[in-house]
Amino acid sequence: MIVLAFDTATADTAVGLATGGAAARTARHTPASGERPGHVAQLLGLARGLLAEAGIGWAEVERLGVGTGPGSFTGLRIGVATARALAQAGGQELVGVSTLEALARGVASAPDVAAAPGRGVDPTVLACLDARRGEAFVGAWRGDALVFPPRAVVPEALAGLLAGRGAWRAAGDGSVRFRAQLEAAGAHVPPDDSALHHVSGARLCELALEASPAGHDTLEPEYVRAPDAVPKHLR
Amino acid sequence: MILALETSCDDTCAAVLTPEGVIRSNVISSQGVHDQFGGVVPEVASRQHLQLVNAVVDDALTTAQTTLDDLTLVAVTQGPGLVGALLVGVATAKAIASVRGLPLAPVDHLQGHVAASFLPGVDAEGTGHTPPLEPPFTCLVASGGHTFLAHVGDHASFDVLGRTLDDAAGEAFDKGARLLGLPYPGGPHLERLAADGDPEAFGFPVSDQLAGYDFSFSGLKTALLYKLRDLSDAEAGARRADLAASFQRAIVEALARRVERAVLTTGAERVSIGGGVAANGALRARLAGVAGHLHIPPRALCTDNAAMIGAAARHVSALEPGEYDDLDAYPTGRRDL
Ligand SMILES: [Zn+2]
């Protein structure tokens, strides 16, 4: 099955195209430091580029996968709106995948983890994104198994979440931001410049292949946090 | 067929027009969720747009008795507006156009309000249809987000004669309504209350001291606030309809006097109105005699809608597939009037 999957929940725009057989093709835009995310300006062009590389058109894509977050509300909506409309007008199957699970999957399949002593035992992975306002979006997996579902927490709560559950690995821009708290709680955090802190298009494609299709007018982001319901003119 | 999308504020809109500009459908899904907050909450609006947008597009296509296969152009509001809300429409339109290999026309929301006059209007009784208006004409656009007076010389652009220096006219209606204890959205509630009142009962300022064609409404709100403080609670309660009527009259006069000034100075023979405030009956009545010809769009084309975006798109140079991959929305304030 030919799968195009993308994620815009973090500052990155990550895209993957799996055509079966060989490894998925991937593309990513990461804003320079201080630059705003480029989701709406990057997403279609990156996707079109991968399709061109593979020598196929939109019509040959059979399934679309989109990261449902949690993450930046505006970023999420750009990804989900794009995926819903592509599926609506292109007729592809549409699936939502967890952004945090894609991050966790990236760590679990990293070569150094696979080669680590005691391999065969999946590490527990905390996917951790900077949720702004001093909070982190976190979720944890061991292999395919959910340890706890996505939520927004203050960094002080991380130690409590990790306590007594053995060795942890953490990934995502939130693990970099809250490195001190995570390491104090015993988690292993890859170096700041590690690719493991970015959502991989290949992992998105894997998860998209495993997921069940959703409706093009019902798939929703996993916001986790409620909107601030204060009208513009009263702020 | 042209498919047009508009998501700049709190209405999720899609419309289908023929290439000649005949409206085949004009779907407006008003969110209604903002009434409980007393105003539009941008994040709530954006979430609602995403929930509704694909169903609204389906509805517009079905009502027009057409399908995606018949589309020749996709049009979308690019700005100005709430950027998170705009992005839902922009991302959706780009994806539909891209996967279908169609050209995409990015449309300026304010140009859309002007282009509502390129569509058939209604007569003074609101029952019969009038033909579309062709440039040149003078156009007053007044809504909750924008208020300006423009000379429309061609189909693709307009020259601003004057604009509001502070609040938009619709915003003034909403703020006045809130002071009078009316629910959000205030404009229609205030108009209903004003129907039973005397517009001459209180003299509110109409910013006559402003030369040229600019508007100012912030002093009006303050004047109402002071008036309410001066009156006893019982008196203010008893005279709410008079206060509403006088307040409405001040907004209508401020708008109408600039239009009159423009007609006298420029010799414009034709005037059109647009924006949500153009649905106000008192304004329509007041403007009836100011020019040789007054074009009044039906109410559904005054408030935010996608048909006006489709009408404007016919005169915008569309981008071909591959040219709009990087198209972004622009927020309120970036486009200087
Ligand atoms: Zn408007």
Side-chain angles (χ1 to χ4, degrees):
Chain A
M1 180 183 277
I2 298 182
V3 180
L4 177 74
F6 45 80
D7 186 280
T8 51
T10 71
D12 291 350
T13 305
V15 187
L17 176 67
T19 50
R25 293 166 200 276
T26 63
R28 188 179 85 202
H29 172 265
T30 299
S33 90
E35 192 191 347
R36 295 167 52 82
H39 302 128
V40 77
Q42 295 292 333
L43 180 53
L44 274 182
L46 291 178
R48 192 189 291 278
L50 291 185
L51 291 173
E53 259 182 49
I56 61 173
W58 289 109
E60 280 133 292
V61 175
E62 296 165 274
R63 178 175 281 201
L64 290 161
V66 60
T68 55
S72 144
F73 294 161
T74 298
L76 274 176
R77 272 190 293 269
I78 290 166
V80 173
T82 300
R84 282 172 56 150
L86 286 172
Q88 175 178 30
Q92 289 90 359
E93 287 181 355
L94 176 64
V95 303
V97 305
S98 165
T99 301
L100 294 179
E101 189 173 4
L103 274 170
R105 187 66 77 94
V107 174
S109 59
D112 76 304
V113 173
R119 73 177 195 274
V121 181
D122 288 322
T124 306
V125 183
L126 180 83
C128 179
L129 292 174
D130 183 358
R132 312 281 165 203
R133 294 187 241 160
E135 289 189 331
F137 289 128
V138 294
W141 284 264
R142 183 180 292 117
D144 295 346
L146 182 67
V147 178
F148 60 79
R151 65 191 64 177
V153 298
V154 292
E156 297 73 43
L158 290 169
L161 280 171
L162 270 57
R165 303 212 213 197
W168 286 77
R169 286 171 177 264
D173 61 13
S175 339
V176 174
R177 165 96 195 270
F178 302 117
R179 175 184 288 278
Q181 290 92 332
L182 285 164
E183 289 180 344
H188 172 264
V189 181
D192 285 6
D193 60 357
S194 168
L196 296 178
H197 294 304
H198 299 268
V199 175
S200 147
R203 304 289 89 76
L204 291 169
C205 287
E206 276 172 34
L207 289 169
L209 274 164
E210 296 165 16
S212 306
H216 73 249
D217 52 2
T218 51
L219 182 71
E220 285 268 353
E222 195 174 358
Y223 291 111
V224 174
R225 225 164 30 195
D228 290 337
V230 180
K232 197 169 61 131
H233 62 266
L234 297 179
R235 266 186 231 142
Chain B
M1 293 288 168
I2 303 168
L3 171 69
L5 293 175
E6 147 67 40
T7 62
S8 66
C9 190
D10 60 340
D11 294 319
T12 314
C13 314
V16 173
L17 282 75
T18 68
E20 296 74 35
V22 176
I23 300 174
R24 294 285 289 268
S25 64
N26 188 24
V27 178
I28 301 168
S29 182
S30 295
Q31 299 185 350
V33 291
H34 306 283
D35 301 11
Q36 58 183 311
F37 303 121
V40 174
V41 184
E43 176 60 23
V44 173
S46 302
R47 291 186 182 192
Q48 287 282 113
H49 282 308
L50 181 59
Q51 278 183 8
L52 296 169
V53 67
N54 305 93
V56 167
V57 166
D58 278 340
D59 193 2
L61 292 167
T62 306
T63 306
Q65 295 184 298
T66 189
T67 69
L68 289 159
D69 295 336
D70 295 325
L71 296 185
T72 51
L73 176 67
V74 179
V76 66
T77 306
Q78 191 185 5
L82 303 171
V83 76
L86 287 162
L87 281 168
V88 174
V90 168
T92 299
K94 283 169 67 173
I96 291 174
S98 196
V99 79
R100 287 275 166 171
L102 294 168
L104 179 76
V107 174
D108 181 85
H109 181 80
L110 306 181
Q111 179 68 35
H113 276 301
V114 169
S117 293
F118 306 155
L119 296 165
V122 290
D123 59 20
E125 290 75 42
T127 48
H129 292 288
T130 61
L133 193 60
E134 293 296 316
F137 57 86
T138 299
C139 187
L140 170 70
V141 173
S143 75
H146 18 264
T147 296
F148 64 93
L149 187 63
H151 170 71
V152 181
D154 58 60
H155 284 104
S157 63
F158 57 88
D159 297 311
V160 175
L161 301 172
R163 74 213 188 287
T164 183
L165 302 177
D166 38 57
D167 294 348
E171 212 176 345
F173 267 110
D174 287 345
K175 287 178 175 175
R178 197 171 322 118
L179 289 173
L180 290 169
L182 295 166
Y184 176 89
H189 286 109
L190 194 143
E191 185 179 0
R192 274 194 289 279
L193 180 60
D196 301 324
D198 174 8
E200 310 287 342
F202 299 95
F204 289 121
V206 296
S207 56
D208 255 347
Q209 75 286 359
L210 277 180
Y213 305 109
D214 285 342
F215 305 91
S216 169
F217 294 104
S218 62
L220 176 59
K221 176 196 62 185
T222 312
L224 176 60
L225 181 67
Y226 288 163
K227 185 59 72 183
L228 284 165
R229 278 189 194 156
D230 291 348
L231 297 174
S232 69
D233 284 355
E235 202 176 356
R239 303 196 65 187
R240 280 172 82 232
D242 286 347
L243 287 162
S246 301
F247 186 82
Q248 173 175 268
R249 177 187 173 278
I251 296 175
V252 166
E253 278 304 312
L255 294 171
R257 288 181 192 182
R258 302 303 186 284
V259 176
E260 278 175 336
R261 204 176 279 173
V263 167
L264 283 173
T265 312
T266 67
E269 286 166 12
R270 298 173 311 162
V271 169
S272 82
I273 54 177
V277 175
N280 181 279
L283 178 67
R284 291 178 173 212
R286 172 67 176 78
L287 287 175
V290 300
H293 176 73
L294 176 68
H295 180 87
I296 307 174
R299 279 166 199 263
L301 296 180
C302 288
T303 51
D304 288 349
N305 67 90
M308 70 184 193
I309 302 302
R314 295 180 59 234
H315 309 284
V316 164
S317 50
L319 302 166
E320 292 302 318
E323 292 177 350
Y324 50 79
D325 284 351
D326 62 352
L327 187 77
D328 204 344
Y330 54 84
T332 299
R334 205 184 87 181
R335 182 189 196 283
D336 292 329
L337 280 178

PDB file of all heavy atoms in Angstrom, chain B residues 298-326:
ATOM      1  N   PRO B 298     -28.246  41.339  -0.981  1.00  0.00           N
ATOM      2  CA  PRO B 298     -29.080  40.636   0.001  1.00  0.00           C
ATOM      3  C   PRO B 298     -28.286  40.412   1.294  1.00  0.00           C
ATOM      4  O   PRO B 298     -27.055  40.385   1.262  1.00  0.00           O
ATOM      5  CB  PRO B 298     -29.414  39.304  -0.686  1.00  0.00           C
ATOM      6  CG  PRO B 298     -28.522  39.199  -1.869  1.00  0.00           C
ATOM      7  CD  PRO B 298     -28.034  40.566  -2.202  1.00  0.00           C
ATOM      8  N   ARG B 299     -28.997  40.246   2.407  1.00  0.00           N
ATOM      9  CA  ARG B 299     -28.319  40.136   3.699  1.00  0.00           C
ATOM     10  C   ARG B 299     -27.239  39.049   3.718  1.00  0.00           C
ATOM     11  O   ARG B 299     -26.179  39.204   4.305  1.00  0.00           O
ATOM     12  CB  ARG B 299     -29.338  39.863   4.809  1.00  0.00           C
ATOM     13  CG  ARG B 299     -30.032  41.141   5.251  1.00  0.00           C
ATOM     14  CD  ARG B 299     -31.274  40.882   6.090  1.00  0.00           C
ATOM     15  NE  ARG B 299     -32.117  42.080   6.085  1.00  0.00           N
ATOM     16  CZ  ARG B 299     -32.126  43.006   7.041  1.00  0.00           C
ATOM     17  NH1 ARG B 299     -31.350  42.853   8.099  1.00  0.00           N
ATOM     18  NH2 ARG B 299     -32.886  44.068   6.952  1.00  0.00           N
ATOM     19  N   ALA B 300     -27.531  37.915   3.052  1.00  0.00           N
ATOM     20  CA  ALA B 300     -26.590  36.784   3.059  1.00  0.00           C
ATOM     21  C   ALA B 300     -25.285  37.124   2.345  1.00  0.00           C
ATOM     22  O   ALA B 300     -24.277  36.441   2.529  1.00  0.00           O
ATOM     23  CB  ALA B 300     -27.221  35.559   2.406  1.00  0.00           C
ATOM     24  N   LEU B 301     -25.295  38.193   1.518  1.00  0.00           N
ATOM     25  CA  LEU B 301     -24.056  38.605   0.848  1.00  0.00           C
ATOM     26  C   LEU B 301     -23.417  39.794   1.554  1.00  0.00           C
ATOM     27  O   LEU B 301     -22.339  40.251   1.166  1.00  0.00           O
ATOM     28  CB  LEU B 301     -24.324  38.958  -0.624  1.00  0.00           C
ATOM     29  CG  LEU B 301     -24.808  37.812  -1.513  1.00  0.00           C
ATOM     30  CD1 LEU B 301     -25.042  38.299  -2.942  1.00  0.00           C
ATOM     31  CD2 LEU B 301     -23.824  36.645  -1.504  1.00  0.00           C
ATOM     32  N   CYS B 302     -24.088  40.335   2.587  1.00  0.00           N
ATOM     33  CA  CYS B 302     -23.503  41.422   3.379  1.00  0.00           C
ATOM     34  C   CYS B 302     -22.620  40.854   4.481  1.00  0.00           C
ATOM     35  O   CYS B 302     -21.465  41.243   4.638  1.00  0.00           O
ATOM     36  CB  CYS B 302     -24.607  42.281   4.001  1.00  0.00           C
ATOM     37  SG  CYS B 302     -25.470  43.313   2.806  1.00  0.00           S
ATOM     38  N   THR B 303     -23.177  39.923   5.271  1.00  0.00           N
ATOM     39  CA  THR B 303     -22.366  39.279   6.299  1.00  0.00           C
ATOM     40  C   THR B 303     -21.330  38.403   5.595  1.00  0.00           C
ATOM     41  O   THR B 303     -21.425  38.157   4.399  1.00  0.00           O
ATOM     42  CB  THR B 303     -23.257  38.429   7.222  1.00  0.00           C
ATOM     43  OG1 THR B 303     -24.064  37.578   6.401  1.00  0.00           O
ATOM     44  CG2 THR B 303     -24.173  39.305   8.048  1.00  0.00           C
ATOM     45  N   ASP B 304     -20.340  37.921   6.351  1.00  0.00           N
ATOM     46  CA  ASP B 304     -19.269  37.139   5.736  1.00  0.00           C
ATOM     47  C   ASP B 304     -19.848  35.924   5.020  1.00  0.00           C
ATOM     48  O   ASP B 304     -20.708  35.224   5.561  1.00  0.00           O
ATOM     49  CB  ASP B 304     -18.251  36.700   6.791  1.00  0.00           C
ATOM     50  CG  ASP B 304     -17.404  37.871   7.268  1.00  0.00           C
ATOM     51  OD1 ASP B 304     -17.475  38.939   6.635  1.00  0.00           O
ATOM     52  OD2 ASP B 304     -16.671  37.703   8.255  1.00  0.00           O
ATOM     53  N   ASN B 305     -19.389  35.681   3.800  1.00  0.00           N
ATOM     54  CA  ASN B 305     -19.894  34.566   2.996  1.00  0.00           C
ATOM     55  C   ASN B 305     -18.845  34.223   1.948  1.00  0.00           C
ATOM     56  O   ASN B 305     -17.924  35.000   1.700  1.00  0.00           O
ATOM     57  CB  ASN B 305     -21.216  34.980   2.328  1.00  0.00           C
ATOM     58  CG  ASN B 305     -21.021  36.068   1.303  1.00  0.00           C
ATOM     59  OD1 ASN B 305     -20.786  35.786   0.132  1.00  0.00           O
ATOM     60  ND2 ASN B 305     -21.078  37.342   1.723  1.00  0.00           N
ATOM     61  N   ALA B 306     -18.995  33.053   1.349  1.00  0.00           N
ATOM     62  CA  ALA B 306     -18.000  32.608   0.368  1.00  0.00           C
ATOM     63  C   ALA B 306     -18.387  33.000  -1.053  1.00  0.00           C
ATOM     64  O   ALA B 306     -17.524  33.048  -1.936  1.00  0.00           O
ATOM     65  CB  ALA B 306     -17.803  31.100   0.470  1.00  0.00           C
ATOM     66  N   ALA B 307     -19.666  33.312  -1.294  1.00  0.00           N
ATOM     67  CA  ALA B 307     -20.065  33.700  -2.652  1.00  0.00           C
ATOM     68  C   ALA B 307     -19.320  34.965  -3.086  1.00  0.00           C
ATOM     69  O   ALA B 307     -18.899  35.089  -4.234  1.00  0.00           O
ATOM     70  CB  ALA B 307     -21.578  33.916  -2.726  1.00  0.00           C
ATOM     71  N   MET B 308     -19.137  35.899  -2.143  1.00  0.00           N
ATOM     72  CA  MET B 308     -18.419  37.141  -2.489  1.00  0.00           C
ATOM     73  C   MET B 308     -16.951  36.852  -2.801  1.00  0.00           C
ATOM     74  O   MET B 308     -16.332  37.541  -3.622  1.00  0.00           O
ATOM     75  CB  MET B 308     -18.547  38.169  -1.353  1.00  0.00           C
ATOM     76  CG  MET B 308     -17.785  37.840  -0.090  1.00  0.00           C
ATOM     77  SD  MET B 308     -18.085  39.054   1.217  1.00  0.00           S
ATOM     78  CE  MET B 308     -16.773  38.632   2.387  1.00  0.00           C
ATOM     79  N   ILE B 309     -16.406  35.817  -2.148  1.00  0.00           N
ATOM     80  CA  ILE B 309     -15.016  35.431  -2.414  1.00  0.00           C
ATOM     81  C   ILE B 309     -14.923  34.829  -3.823  1.00  0.00           C
ATOM     82  O   ILE B 309     -13.981  35.113  -4.579  1.00  0.00           O
ATOM     83  CB  ILE B 309     -14.511  34.426  -1.342  1.00  0.00           C
ATOM     84  CG1 ILE B 309     -14.630  35.053   0.063  1.00  0.00           C
ATOM     85  CG2 ILE B 309     -13.084  33.962  -1.643  1.00  0.00           C
ATOM     86  CD1 ILE B 309     -13.872  36.350   0.253  1.00  0.00           C
ATOM     87  N   GLY B 310     -15.924  34.034  -4.176  1.00  0.00           N
ATOM     88  CA  GLY B 310     -15.979  33.483  -5.529  1.00  0.00           C
ATOM     89  C   GLY B 310     -16.151  34.578  -6.569  1.00  0.00           C
ATOM     90  O   GLY B 310     -15.536  34.540  -7.647  1.00  0.00           O
ATOM     91  N   ALA B 311     -16.972  35.582  -6.254  1.00  0.00           N
ATOM     92  CA  ALA B 311     -17.195  36.701  -7.179  1.00  0.00           C
ATOM     93  C   ALA B 311     -15.902  37.483  -7.395  1.00  0.00           C
ATOM     94  O   ALA B 311     -15.572  37.877  -8.518  1.00  0.00           O
ATOM     95  CB  ALA B 311     -18.292  37.618  -6.645  1.00  0.00           C
ATOM     96  N   ALA B 312     -15.151  37.694  -6.311  1.00  0.00           N
ATOM     97  CA  ALA B 312     -13.875  38.413  -6.424  1.00  0.00           C
ATOM     98  C   ALA B 312     -12.853  37.580  -7.192  1.00  0.00           C
ATOM     99  O   ALA B 312     -12.047  38.121  -7.959  1.00  0.00           O
ATOM    100  CB  ALA B 312     -13.341  38.752  -5.036  1.00  0.00           C
ATOM    101  N   ALA B 313     -12.896  36.261  -6.988  1.00  0.00           N
ATOM    102  CA  ALA B 313     -11.897  35.363  -7.586  1.00  0.00           C
ATOM    103  C   ALA B 313     -11.925  35.402  -9.103  1.00  0.00           C
ATOM    104  O   ALA B 313     -10.911  35.146  -9.758  1.00  0.00           O
ATOM    105  CB  ALA B 313     -12.119  33.929  -7.106  1.00  0.00           C
ATOM    106  N   ARG B 314     -13.071  35.730  -9.673  1.00  0.00           N
ATOM    107  CA  ARG B 314     -13.186  35.781 -11.133  1.00  0.00           C
ATOM    108  C   ARG B 314     -12.286  36.866 -11.723  1.00  0.00           C
ATOM    109  O   ARG B 314     -11.991  36.853 -12.907  1.00  0.00           O
ATOM    110  CB  ARG B 314     -14.638  36.054 -11.539  1.00  0.00           C
ATOM    111  CG  ARG B 314     -15.598  34.930 -11.145  1.00  0.00           C
ATOM    112  CD  ARG B 314     -17.025  35.230 -11.549  1.00  0.00           C
ATOM    113  NE  ARG B 314     -17.138  35.431 -12.986  1.00  0.00           N
ATOM    114  CZ  ARG B 314     -17.671  36.503 -13.550  1.00  0.00           C
ATOM    115  NH1 ARG B 314     -18.146  37.491 -12.807  1.00  0.00           N
ATOM    116  NH2 ARG B 314     -17.724  36.602 -14.859  1.00  0.00           N
ATOM    117  N   HIS B 315     -11.866  37.814 -10.888  1.00  0.00           N
ATOM    118  CA  HIS B 315     -11.068  38.946 -11.372  1.00  0.00           C
ATOM    119  C   HIS B 315      -9.659  38.969 -10.770  1.00  0.00           C
ATOM    120  O   HIS B 315      -8.954  39.963 -10.863  1.00  0.00           O
ATOM    121  CB  HIS B 315     -11.799  40.256 -11.082  1.00  0.00           C
ATOM    122  CG  HIS B 315     -13.218  40.237 -11.554  1.00  0.00           C
ATOM    123  ND1 HIS B 315     -13.555  40.372 -12.883  1.00  0.00           N
ATOM    124  CD2 HIS B 315     -14.376  40.026 -10.891  1.00  0.00           C
ATOM    125  CE1 HIS B 315     -14.873  40.274 -13.006  1.00  0.00           C
ATOM    126  NE2 HIS B 315     -15.386  40.068 -11.817  1.00  0.00           N
ATOM    127  N   VAL B 316      -9.284  37.854 -10.120  1.00  0.00           N
ATOM    128  CA  VAL B 316      -7.953  37.720  -9.528  1.00  0.00           C
ATOM    129  C   VAL B 316      -7.155  36.779 -10.430  1.00  0.00           C
ATOM    130  O   VAL B 316      -7.718  35.832 -10.967  1.00  0.00           O
ATOM    131  CB  VAL B 316      -8.082  37.091  -8.114  1.00  0.00           C
ATOM    132  CG1 VAL B 316      -6.744  36.574  -7.596  1.00  0.00           C
ATOM    133  CG2 VAL B 316      -8.668  38.094  -7.136  1.00  0.00           C
ATOM    134  N   SER B 317      -5.850  37.038 -10.619  1.00  0.00           N
ATOM    135  CA  SER B 317      -5.087  36.070 -11.416  1.00  0.00           C
ATOM    136  C   SER B 317      -4.780  34.863 -10.530  1.00  0.00           C
ATOM    137  O   SER B 317      -4.144  34.976  -9.484  1.00  0.00           O
ATOM    138  CB  SER B 317      -3.825  36.687 -11.985  1.00  0.00           C
ATOM    139  OG  SER B 317      -3.107  37.337 -10.981  1.00  0.00           O
ATOM    140  N   ALA B 318      -5.281  33.699 -10.983  1.00  0.00           N
ATOM    141  CA  ALA B 318      -5.171  32.485 -10.176  1.00  0.00           C
ATOM    142  C   ALA B 318      -3.774  31.892 -10.297  1.00  0.00           C
ATOM    143  O   ALA B 318      -3.077  32.104 -11.287  1.00  0.00           O
ATOM    144  CB  ALA B 318      -6.217  31.476 -10.622  1.00  0.00           C
ATOM    145  N   LEU B 319      -3.372  31.151  -9.258  1.00  0.00           N
ATOM    146  CA  LEU B 319      -2.076  30.465  -9.245  1.00  0.00           C
ATOM    147  C   LEU B 319      -2.274  29.044  -9.768  1.00  0.00           C
ATOM    148  O   LEU B 319      -3.264  28.384  -9.441  1.00  0.00           O
ATOM    149  CB  LEU B 319      -1.526  30.429  -7.818  1.00  0.00           C
ATOM    150  CG  LEU B 319      -1.350  31.793  -7.150  1.00  0.00           C
ATOM    151  CD1 LEU B 319      -1.123  31.627  -5.648  1.00  0.00           C
ATOM    152  CD2 LEU B 319      -0.181  32.535  -7.784  1.00  0.00           C
ATOM    153  N   GLU B 320      -1.329  28.572 -10.577  1.00  0.00           N
ATOM    154  CA  GLU B 320      -1.413  27.217 -11.120  1.00  0.00           C
ATOM    155  C   GLU B 320      -0.845  26.210 -10.114  1.00  0.00           C
ATOM    156  O   GLU B 320      -0.092  26.595  -9.214  1.00  0.00           O
ATOM    157  CB  GLU B 320      -0.636  27.153 -12.448  1.00  0.00           C
ATOM    158  CG  GLU B 320      -1.268  27.960 -13.579  1.00  0.00           C
ATOM    159  CD  GLU B 320      -2.701  27.522 -13.881  1.00  0.00           C
ATOM    160  OE1 GLU B 320      -2.973  26.305 -13.896  1.00  0.00           O
ATOM    161  OE2 GLU B 320      -3.563  28.409 -14.077  1.00  0.00           O
ATOM    162  N   PRO B 321      -1.187  24.916 -10.246  1.00  0.00           N
ATOM    163  CA  PRO B 321      -0.628  23.906  -9.333  1.00  0.00           C
ATOM    164  C   PRO B 321       0.893  24.010  -9.281  1.00  0.00           C
ATOM    165  O   PRO B 321       1.542  24.180 -10.316  1.00  0.00           O
ATOM    166  CB  PRO B 321      -1.072  22.582  -9.967  1.00  0.00           C
ATOM    167  CG  PRO B 321      -2.323  22.918 -10.706  1.00  0.00           C
ATOM    168  CD  PRO B 321      -2.128  24.327 -11.212  1.00  0.00           C
ATOM    169  N   GLY B 322       1.441  23.910  -8.082  1.00  0.00           N
ATOM    170  CA  GLY B 322       2.882  24.084  -7.904  1.00  0.00           C
ATOM    171  C   GLY B 322       3.234  25.513  -7.525  1.00  0.00           C
ATOM    172  O   GLY B 322       4.251  25.745  -6.878  1.00  0.00           O
ATOM    173  N   GLU B 323       2.379  26.465  -7.911  1.00  0.00           N
ATOM    174  CA  GLU B 323       2.654  27.876  -7.588  1.00  0.00           C
ATOM    175  C   GLU B 323       2.085  28.284  -6.231  1.00  0.00           C
ATOM    176  O   GLU B 323       2.451  29.332  -5.708  1.00  0.00           O
ATOM    177  CB  GLU B 323       2.052  28.792  -8.666  1.00  0.00           C
ATOM    178  CG  GLU B 323       2.724  28.686 -10.031  1.00  0.00           C
ATOM    179  CD  GLU B 323       2.052  29.556 -11.087  1.00  0.00           C
ATOM    180  OE1 GLU B 323       0.957  30.112 -10.835  1.00  0.00           O
ATOM    181  OE2 GLU B 323       2.615  29.668 -12.182  1.00  0.00           O
ATOM    182  N   TYR B 324       1.149  27.478  -5.709  1.00  0.00           N
ATOM    183  CA  TYR B 324       0.523  27.886  -4.435  1.00  0.00           C
ATOM    184  C   TYR B 324       0.896  26.973  -3.267  1.00  0.00           C
ATOM    185  O   TYR B 324       0.304  27.062  -2.201  1.00  0.00           O
ATOM    186  CB  TYR B 324      -1.005  27.981  -4.577  1.00  0.00           C
ATOM    187  CG  TYR B 324      -1.680  26.764  -5.196  1.00  0.00           C
ATOM    188  CD1 TYR B 324      -1.931  25.629  -4.443  1.00  0.00           C
ATOM    189  CD2 TYR B 324      -2.079  26.776  -6.527  1.00  0.00           C
ATOM    190  CE1 TYR B 324      -2.561  24.526  -4.998  1.00  0.00           C
ATOM    191  CE2 TYR B 324      -2.700  25.686  -7.104  1.00  0.00           C
ATOM    192  CZ  TYR B 324      -2.940  24.562  -6.334  1.00  0.00           C
ATOM    193  OH  TYR B 324      -3.550  23.475  -6.879  1.00  0.00           O
ATOM    194  N   ASP B 325       1.884  26.072  -3.471  1.00  0.00           N
ATOM    195  CA  ASP B 325       2.299  25.196  -2.368  1.00  0.00           C
ATOM    196  C   ASP B 325       2.655  25.998  -1.123  1.00  0.00           C
ATOM    197  O   ASP B 325       2.368  25.582  -0.005  1.00  0.00           O
ATOM    198  CB  ASP B 325       3.526  24.366  -2.786  1.00  0.00           C
ATOM    199  CG  ASP B 325       3.151  23.220  -3.722  1.00  0.00           C
ATOM    200  OD1 ASP B 325       1.949  22.975  -3.897  1.00  0.00           O
ATOM    201  OD2 ASP B 325       4.071  22.583  -4.262  1.00  0.00           O
ATOM    202  N   ASP B 326       3.298  27.153  -1.316  1.00  0.00           N
ATOM    203  CA  ASP B 326       3.772  27.918  -0.157  1.00  0.00           C
ATOM    204  C   ASP B 326       2.831  29.059   0.247  1.00  0.00           C
ATOM    205  O   ASP B 326       3.195  29.909   1.044  1.00  0.00           O
ATOM    206  CB  ASP B 326       5.181  28.465  -0.420  1.00  0.00           C
ATOM    207  CG  ASP B 326       5.223  29.426  -1.606  1.00  0.00           C
ATOM    208  OD1 ASP B 326       4.190  29.545  -2.307  1.00  0.00           O
ATOM    209  OD2 ASP B 326       6.269  30.068  -1.823  1.00  0.00           O
TER     210      ASP B 326
END
